[in-house]
Amino acid sequence: MAEYLTKSAARNIFYGGSIFFLVAFTVLTIHSHFYMVNTATDESTLTESVARGKHVWERHSCINCHSLLGEGAYFAPELGNVWVRYGGKQSPEGARLGLKAWMRAQPTRIEGRRQMPQFNLSEQELDDLIDFLEWTSRINTLGWPPNVSG
């Protein structure tokens, strides 16, 4: 056995390792894609209003302050479970009214608190955005965020 690494052995380790990790990356990517599409996402309730709500979310760059399922900024609360925090599982209509009232009351101008800007969303935009947040709350996030307060 050679006491040092030969040039051909180094080349074989490089190519073999590269192929191994390329195959592992491809398999894990395919697995993640099929898991998200078939298991984690509630595709049966994906409606036009949910899609419009996502456009409201994107148009007003909500992700610049909030996080959604762990992605985004951490200036404001996580919104992946805001539907649950507002009691949407027990009282969907109460949660909807509460979220609308909260968004309409912004900014609160309470000193020392972070302020959300007023976007002057229409009733339709509010409903669509809330539908999007409700739909998001049903995604299986494998326990993220770790507590209901986000």
Side-chain angles (χ1 to χ4, degrees), residues 63-137:
I63 202 112
N64 287 346
C65 295
H66 294 275
S67 59
L68 188 65
L69 307 179
E71 294 288 329
Y74 287 89
F75 179 72
E78 159 74 29
L79 294 184
N81 60 0
V82 70
W83 181 253
V84 175
R85 286 198 311 265
Y86 271 73
K89 287 184 176 178
Q90 298 82 23
S91 173
E93 192 56 36
R96 183 170 296 274
L97 292 174
L99 284 166
K100 283 182 179 179
W102 190 86
M103 285 190 258
R104 286 184 183 127
Q106 300 305 314
T108 60
R109 302 192 197 302
I110 298 173
E111 202 169 310
R113 295 197 64 181
R114 291 175 277 184
Q115 300 295 308
M116 181 171 152
Q118 177 53 256
F119 291 111
N120 295 313
L121 299 177
S122 69
E123 191 70 18
Q124 180 68 50
E125 289 174 320
L126 283 170
D127 282 330
D128 293 342
L129 182 58
I130 292 169
D131 287 345
F132 172 65
L133 294 172
E134 178 186 0
W135 181 82
T136 303
S137 74

Side-chain angles (χ1 to χ4, degrees), residues 10-55:
R11 183 177 40 234
N12 291 339
I13 290 171
F14 170 77
Y15 287 124
S18 296
I19 290 170
F20 171 79
F21 285 108
L22 181 64
V23 169
F25 177 76
T26 303
V27 168
L28 290 173
T29 301
I30 291 169
H31 176 268
S32 295
H33 173 76
F34 282 105
Y35 178 80
M36 290 303 294
V37 170
N38 298 321
T39 304
T41 304
D42 185 11
E43 189 176 346
S44 65
T45 58
L46 188 56
T47 63
E48 284 296 316
S49 67
V50 171
R52 287 192 308 266
K54 184 175 186 287
H55 290 296

